[in-house]
Amino acid sequence: AQALEKLQESAEVNRSLYGEKDHPNVADVLHSLGKANQRAGDFEQAEKFLEQSLRMKESLFADKKHPSLRLTSNLVDQVRALAQIANKFKAIRDLASFKDEGLAALTRDA
């Protein structure tokens, strides 16, 4: 939690320095925020920050194979895949819970 707060502060400082224009420092902080949110299991926030970073890097680097751009692009894909797995796991867990509740109700009524 403290790391996320420090990264948020860093993003705010960079935004105050560079305004709304794209800058590598801002893109890097957004990437770090995405990675930190991924580690925390907040895939929605992670994807949001990583997409912002990716859009910024795409505008900054003419070379679409730039290592920083590719790294962020790969992480976006990874976060999306993890989010899908997490959603499937949640659906299975919810289904299992529903099934357990149904069985409990049946055994209570018997």
Side-chain angles (χ1 to χ4, degrees):
Q2 190 176 14
L4 280 172
E5 289 175 18
K6 293 292 182 191
L7 286 168
Q8 288 282 15
E9 288 174 21
S10 180
E12 291 170 17
V13 167
N14 277 290
R15 279 292 182 203
S16 68
L17 289 172
Y18 305 111
E20 290 302 313
K21 69 179 184 176
D22 295 343
H23 193 278
N25 291 354
V26 177
D28 287 343
V29 171
L30 291 169
H31 177 98
S32 295
L33 276 165
K35 197 169 184 176
N37 276 280
Q38 175 199 17
R39 288 183 178 151
D42 188 345
F43 301 118
E44 188 175 319
Q45 277 295 101
E47 187 175 357
K48 180 183 118 184
F49 286 121
L50 289 167
E51 284 179 345
Q52 290 174 16
S53 176
L54 184 60
R55 279 192 299 273
M56 194 172 289
K57 288 178 180 182
E58 286 172 339
S59 76
L60 289 167
F61 303 120
D63 178 8
K64 298 306 175 198
K65 293 182 180 181
H66 189 281
S68 181
L69 195 150
R70 291 178 67 187
L71 180 67
T72 301
S73 179
N74 289 340
L75 193 53
V76 168
D77 292 342
Q78 185 181 49
V79 165
R80 287 179 180 154
L82 288 170
Q84 287 179 345
I85 291 167
N87 288 336
K88 286 178 183 177
F89 180 76
K90 182 184 179 308
I92 291 168
R93 191 179 59 219
D94 291 348
L95 184 61
S97 175
F98 179 74
K99 181 181 173 188
D100 289 344
E101 289 171 12
L103 287 174
L106 285 173
T107 57
R108 259 195 323 265
D109 295 342

